[in-house]
Amino acid sequence: MPKTYDAVCLFSGGLDSILAARVVMDQGLAVKCLHFTSPFFGHPERMAKWAALYGLDVECVDVGDAFVAMLHRGPANGYGKVLNPCVDCKIFMLARARELMRSYGARCILSGEVVGQRPMSQRRDALNAISRDAGVRGVLVRPLCARHLDISPVEEAGIIDRDRLPAIAGRGRKVQLELARAYGFAEIPTPAGGCKLAESESARRYWPVLRAAPRPTAADFDLANVGRQYWCGAHWLTVGRNRADNERIESLAGEADLVLRTVDFPGPLAVGRRFDAADWPAEVLRGAGALVASFSGKAVAAGGAVRVSVTVGPGRGRDRFELAVAPERTPAVGWAEPGWNAAKVEIRERMRTLRGE
Ligand code: SF4
């Protein structure tokens, strides 16, 4: 692989981003594909596959914490149907590519966007606003649809030959599929997809974190992605559904977190995240213990109070104490799973506040 590149390409792994890189590589340019990852999107495990199947030079860039900070501030251009801030996301990724491009020696940025393909972020006016707000107007080329757009400085400078690019527009996939077949790809990926922010099942997990955490981090959303989620006011409990969940949850436990387990019976592992290491009220903690015990069939069958251990931080035996609680799925103090409908109402309200309405 070359040490310097002519272009960096925003690379989701979807067909459009693959083609954006390949049509420019066909002009003899060296392209570094940047695959941004976060708790919400990204497939770093596919790197080798992309190299083998599509002949691409891909690098993963973890943008989780910076992306979470953007989400927490509130995306200026709002959300799509769920919690997906697509316009701000594109601006964020292009701005990050602009920061990185010089380190690769690149003179331009490529993006697989296609004008008219998506209602929110790929309208012509949205594409213009995105490149303006990301500060990439002088360096950005959208190779798949460039011929439908005003000529870019990169094309004017002759770095990329506009006449050798395809001219794709709209929602159809016909031209992309023809191109993929012409390249002889053994596997044709679907359009990018797979962003958890666009799925209500994930968004209902994320919204309480954005609302309650004073300074949310990517690690918070890694935890929100796992197991069953419960909230009691600003107190957050994640309960494993199976052994893989339990192991993952334990690996994500931070130094200030509470780790709960049933002592005498097999049961799930749970982590209570304590923002700013704040103590939990005794009744909230007892409710959490009762909830965790309720997922142990043998503890429930035993009847009466059972022991639940609580340790502070990962590992066993450090700052450990025990609760004696009766298993209870809906404890009186009000632990409950967050729902999407309630989150949706709050998200819309927040957007109105951000817009000053
Ligand atoms: S779907 Fe997700 S990854 Fe794609 S642009 Fe929207 S927020 Fe970004």
Side-chain angles (χ1 to χ4, degrees), residues 41 84-86 89-90 93 195 197:
F41 48 76
N84 46 316
C86 292
C89 174
K90 297 278 185 192
M93 290 184 179
C195 171
L197 289 164

Side-chain angles (χ1 to χ4, degrees), residues 10-20 35 43 46 50 54 56 112 118 173 188-193:
L10 294 192
F11 184 77
S12 66
L15 179 57
D16 290 352
S17 64
I18 294 170
L19 293 174
H35 183 65
H43 297 282
R46 295 185 190 165
W50 289 323
Y54 308 117
L56 297 174
R118 294 197 184 165
R173 310 288 302 159
I188 298 179
T190 52

Side-chain angles (χ1 to χ4, degrees), residues 96-165:
R96 183 51 67 95
R98 188 195 62 213
E99 288 165 15
L100 293 171
M101 64 183 281
R102 303 292 170 205
S103 64
Y104 293 105
R107 293 175 290 169
C108 59
I109 300 171
L110 313 175
S111 161
E113 292 155 304
V114 170
V115 64
Q117 188 178 79
R118 294 197 184 165
M120 184 172 163
S121 60
Q122 296 189 5
R123 297 186 318 260
R124 185 179 299 270
D125 57 337
L127 291 180
N128 284 335
I130 287 167
S131 51
R132 179 198 65 215
D133 292 351
V136 295
R137 273 193 164 162
V139 290
L140 177 65
V141 179
R142 297 176 168 109
L144 302 188
C145 65
R147 285 164 59 188
H148 291 292
L149 304 174
D150 293 340
I151 188 164
S152 65
V154 176
E155 294 157 275
E156 279 180 328
I159 298 169
I160 291 176
D161 182 351
R162 178 181 180 85
D163 295 333
R164 291 172 61 196
L165 297 174

Side-chain angles (χ1 to χ4, degrees), residues 12 39 54 71 80 85 106 116 130 197 217 232 237 254-255 272 295 303 307 316-317 319 324 341:
S12 66
Y54 308 117
L71 271 182
I130 287 167
L197 289 164
T217 63
C232 176
L237 187 72
E255 291 299 317
F295 288 102
R307 293 191 296 160
R316 291 171 187 265
D319 295 331
N341 286 337

Side-chain angles (χ1 to χ4, degrees), residues 54-71:
Y54 308 117
L56 297 174
D57 180 352
V58 185
E59 184 149 331
C60 284
V61 181
D62 183 346
V63 295
D65 282 327
F67 197 91
V68 166
M70 180 270 282
L71 271 182

Side-chain angles (χ1 to χ4, degrees), residues 6-357:
D6 301 296
V8 292
C9 180
L10 294 192
F11 184 77
S12 66
L15 179 57
D16 290 352
S17 64
I18 294 170
L19 293 174
R22 286 297 302 261
V23 297
V24 169
M25 288 163 67
D26 285 350
Q27 298 191 14
L29 277 71
V31 176
K32 171 65 93 175
C33 295
L34 301 178
H35 183 65
F36 293 129
T37 63
S38 77
F40 318 111
F41 48 76
H43 297 282
E45 74 285 357
R46 295 185 190 165
M47 296 257 296
K49 184 174 171 181
W50 289 323
L53 277 176
Y54 308 117
L56 297 174
D57 180 352
V58 185
E59 184 149 331
C60 284
V61 181
D62 183 346
V63 295
D65 282 327
F67 197 91
V68 166
M70 180 270 282
L71 271 182
H72 191 231
R73 282 194 302 275
N77 295 284
Y79 302 101
K81 288 203 172 109
V82 188
L83 192 57
N84 46 316
C86 292
V87 173
D88 290 79
C89 174
K90 297 278 185 192
I91 294 168
F92 172 93
M93 290 184 179
L94 284 168
R96 183 51 67 95
R98 188 195 62 213
E99 288 165 15
L100 293 171
M101 64 183 281
R102 303 292 170 205
S103 64
Y104 293 105
R107 293 175 290 169
C108 59
I109 300 171
L110 313 175
S111 161
E113 292 155 304
V114 170
V115 64
Q117 188 178 79
R118 294 197 184 165
M120 184 172 163
S121 60
Q122 296 189 5
R123 297 186 318 260
R124 185 179 299 270
D125 57 337
L127 291 180
N128 284 335
I130 287 167
S131 51
R132 179 198 65 215
D133 292 351
V136 295
R137 273 193 164 162
V139 290
L140 177 65
V141 179
R142 297 176 168 109
L144 302 188
C145 65
R147 285 164 59 188
H148 291 292
L149 304 174
D150 293 340
I151 188 164
S152 65
V154 176
E155 294 157 275
E156 279 180 328
I159 298 169
I160 291 176
D161 182 351
R162 178 181 180 85
D163 295 333
R164 291 172 61 196
L165 297 174
I168 306 175
R171 301 174 71 89
R173 310 288 302 159
K174 188 163 168 272
V175 184
Q176 285 96 318
L177 293 173
E178 281 169 6
L179 269 173
R181 279 192 284 272
Y183 280 119
F185 294 158
E187 242 180 66
I188 298 179
T190 52
C195 171
K196 294 191 178 86
L197 289 164
E199 298 166 0
S200 55
E201 164 53 26
S202 295
R204 77 173 180 87
R205 296 164 169 264
Y206 300 152
W207 181 247
V209 183
L210 283 170
R211 197 183 47 191
R215 288 167 299 284
T217 63
D220 290 323
F221 293 90
D222 286 332
L223 185 61
N225 276 334
V226 194
R228 295 182 175 91
Q229 301 287 302
Y230 288 92
W231 286 82
C232 176
H235 305 101
W236 173 20
L237 187 72
T238 300
V239 184
R241 290 170 294 202
N242 49 45
R243 180 181 298 212
D245 275 0
N246 291 345
E247 288 171 2
R248 175 76 176 141
I249 290 168
E250 188 166 29
S251 76
L252 293 169
E255 291 299 317
D257 288 341
L258 304 173
V259 180
L260 292 84
R261 302 178 176 87
T262 46
V263 176
D264 299 312
F265 304 100
L269 181 138
V271 161
R273 177 131 298 174
R274 295 193 304 162
F275 298 122
D276 292 334
D279 284 339
W280 284 11
E283 72 275 17
V284 170
L285 187 53
R286 287 183 60 78
L291 183 58
V292 171
S294 79
F295 288 102
S296 165
K298 290 192 172 164
V300 173
V306 299
R307 293 191 296 160
V308 173
S309 74
V310 183
T311 57
V312 179
R316 291 171 187 265
R318 195 163 55 80
D319 295 331
R320 181 180 184 278
F321 56 95
E322 287 186 6
L323 306 166
V325 290
E328 174 75 69
R329 188 61 57 89
T330 51
V333 289
W335 284 97
E337 287 192 272
W340 168 238
N341 286 337
K344 186 164 66 176
V345 171
E346 290 183 13
I347 291 165
R348 300 305 161 212
E349 271 173 24
R350 172 132 164 79
M351 275 324 302
R352 282 194 286 276
T353 307
L354 284 170
R355 285 198 218 105
E357 293 173 11

